[in-house]
Amino acid sequence: MDASTTRLPLAGVHHVALITADYPRARRFYLEVLDAEILNETYREERDSHKLDLLLPGGIQLELFSFPSPPPRPSYPEACGLRHLALATTDLDACVALLEARGAAPEPIRVDEHTGARFTFLADPDGTPIECYEISG
């Protein structure tokens, strides 16, 4: 096998892991606002930490962790590291209406000047930027 020409045998993103400062608030947001389903929920007493495995509509898996006193996100969204979590939707208007009805505050819908696609951003309770990006169905 020639390592310089052989492609990694990756199949896709398995999950995205997030850390929250307020576990009950973040748990409610992902379950009630983003329609996540619980796959597994564990409290790790030795670490004073929760781990919540979630499944979002569309098959996206999230791991939500809580730790005592995590440092805040340095800036929005230009901090080094994860910039945002982008979720695909075939109906951005319906998505925004549901998010607003559930108490979320999406930004005004924008149009990507290069692709013509419509999108918006909102934040989870810890300020993690979440993009809703419209794709053709």
Side-chain angles (χ1 to χ4, degrees), residues 33-109:
V33 176
L34 292 188
D35 285 336
E37 297 176 31
I38 296 174
L39 298 174
N40 189 43
E41 188 170 22
T42 306
Y43 176 71
R44 300 173 303 179
E45 188 172 348
E46 70 284 358
R47 300 171 102 180
D48 190 21
S49 170
H50 290 90
K51 180 179 183 282
L52 180 61
D53 297 313
L54 298 168
L55 182 64
L56 291 173
I60 301 161
Q61 289 188 44
L62 291 179
E63 288 181 346
L64 183 65
F65 292 92
S66 70
F67 294 106
S69 305
R73 183 175 173 84
S75 71
Y76 178 92
E78 286 76 24
C80 189
L82 178 69
R83 181 177 172 106
H84 62 265
L85 173 63
L87 306 175
T89 178
T90 56
D91 188 344
L92 186 60
D93 296 315
C95 192
V96 167
L98 275 170
L99 290 167
E100 289 174 341
R102 294 172 180 175
E107 296 176 353
I109 292 174

Side-chain angles (χ1 to χ4, degrees), residues 111-123:
V111 177
D112 185 305
E113 62 189 51
H114 299 288
T115 66
R118 297 181 333 135
F119 64 97
T120 186
F121 280 92
L122 66 145

